[in-house]
Amino acid sequence: QKQNKISKHVILKGLENIRMEGKDIMHSQVVMRGDMAAINLGTYVIIKENVIVRPTFIKKHGQVQYVKMDIGDNVTIEPHCVISASSIGSNVHIGKNCVIGHRVVIKDNVKILDDTVIPPDTNIPSFTVFGGKPAQYLGEVTEAIATTNAELAKTYYRNFVGLSAQSGASQAPSQAGAQSS
């Protein structure tokens, strides 16, 4: 059982193209556009309120072609973000109010600060911190960031209580597993 925790107020378009490895959380008002291209989520992917995840595109022979998006393990995306990256590695934290442009590649073990705008076609190297509008390299992080980001995502998942559970109503069992393939 995959044990995903998904709000009733999530919009999943193209559900057949959205793959979740398990133990992922999607808060309310998340929009995931699997109708454009496949979206693959690793384990312990935490997507908070009002986030839009839409695959990126390439232009080929004058035509727009959408390409799949891969998001690694232990990734936290804070509220109010728009994500159009080609890929996001594992152990990544994206702050609130961020815009991740088309065809961006974020490697493993990265921190993106709040209110950051990453322009299209940017490559974010491993073990770095980026922030600003437009995003700039702000420094390196130690190897401990891998463990820190993994523990944050896993602890958040373990301690997560949905609104229906908080109000005493039980969560429908189909809600947790039906969203994944």
Side-chain angles (χ1 to χ4, degrees), residues 91-93 106-112 124-126 128 149:
N91 308 315
V92 172
H93 184 268
I106 300 175
K107 299 290 187 177
D108 296 340
N109 309 307
V110 169
K111 179 158 183 68
I112 306 297
I124 307 290
S126 294
T128 57
N149 282 343

Side-chain angles (χ1 to χ4, degrees), residues 60-157:
K60 202 172 191 179
H61 307 296
Q63 300 288 327
V64 171
Q65 178 181 352
Y66 287 92
V67 294
K68 76 176 173 93
M69 176 188 292
D70 292 314
I71 299 177
D73 299 330
N74 310 313
V75 173
T76 300
I77 302 172
E78 297 292 346
H80 308 288
C81 292
V82 177
I83 310 293
S84 297
S86 294
S87 67
I88 298 173
S90 294
N91 308 315
V92 172
H93 184 268
I94 298 173
K96 65 183 183 215
N97 303 316
C98 290
V99 177
I100 311 299
H102 285 285
R103 298 171 301 281
V104 167
V105 174
I106 300 175
K107 299 290 187 177
D108 296 340
N109 309 307
V110 169
K111 179 158 183 68
I112 306 297
L113 300 181
D114 293 351
D115 304 307
T116 296
V117 177
I118 302 178
D121 303 306
T122 302
N123 189 355
I124 307 290
S126 294
F127 298 103
T128 57
V129 177
F130 272 70
K133 296 177 185 175
Q136 297 178 23
Y137 168 80
L138 297 176
E140 294 182 356
V141 293
T142 66
E143 286 77 13
I145 193 74
T147 305
T148 301
N149 282 343
E151 281 306 310
L152 283 172
K154 289 174 183 175
T155 300
Y156 188 91
Y157 178 87

Side-chain angles (χ1 to χ4, degrees), residues 9-88:
H9 304 287
V10 166
I11 299 172
L12 300 174
K13 295 190 174 209
L15 185 59
E16 66 278 2
N17 292 325
I18 299 171
R19 306 277 183 263
M20 301 170 72
E21 289 299 319
K23 298 187 177 176
D24 299 326
I25 295 175
M26 285 188 206
H27 285 264
S28 65
Q29 308 307 315
V30 168
V31 177
M32 189 155 298
R33 296 294 308 269
D35 59 328
M36 300 166 94
I39 301 173
N40 301 313
L41 305 178
T43 57
Y44 296 105
V45 175
I46 313 300
I47 303 176
K48 296 192 181 171
E49 298 84 1
N50 297 300
V51 171
I52 298 171
V53 179
R54 59 179 185 213
T56 191
F57 64 88
I58 57 173
K59 287 188 177 179
K60 202 172 191 179
H61 307 296
Q63 300 288 327
V64 171
Q65 178 181 352
Y66 287 92
V67 294
K68 76 176 173 93
M69 176 188 292
D70 292 314
I71 299 177
D73 299 330
N74 310 313
V75 173
T76 300
I77 302 172
E78 297 292 346
H80 308 288
C81 292
V82 177
I83 310 293
S84 297
S86 294
S87 67
I88 298 173

